[in-house]
Amino acid sequence: MGWFKDTKADGYCVFLRAHYQNGSRPEDSSWACPKNVQRNWDYWAPQAISNVSIEKIYAP
């Protein structure tokens, strides 16, 4: 869990995508935009999954 923030006034938003090691469908967070909007995130992985990677994505 944690937070992320859009730090640029560039017309893009930022969101997080959680990838699970077992190939389950990734989960996306809410989007943070425009500049200075901050979002909290708190992911709970499916049962028996101990390895999750988080990707930060910028999207128009």
Side-chain angles (χ1 to χ4, degrees), residues 5-42:
K5 183 178 183 177
D6 185 352
T7 59
K8 298 178 182 179
D10 58 4
Y12 283 77
C13 299
V14 62
F15 68 96
L16 302 181
R17 178 168 288 158
H19 298 274
Y20 304 113
Q21 76 184 53
N22 72 345
S24 294
R25 183 174 164 235
E27 289 188 48
D28 291 347
S29 69
S30 58
W31 290 34
C33 54
K35 183 179 179 181
N36 292 324
V37 170
Q38 178 176 308
R39 298 280 186 236
N40 294 319
W41 61 273
D42 188 0

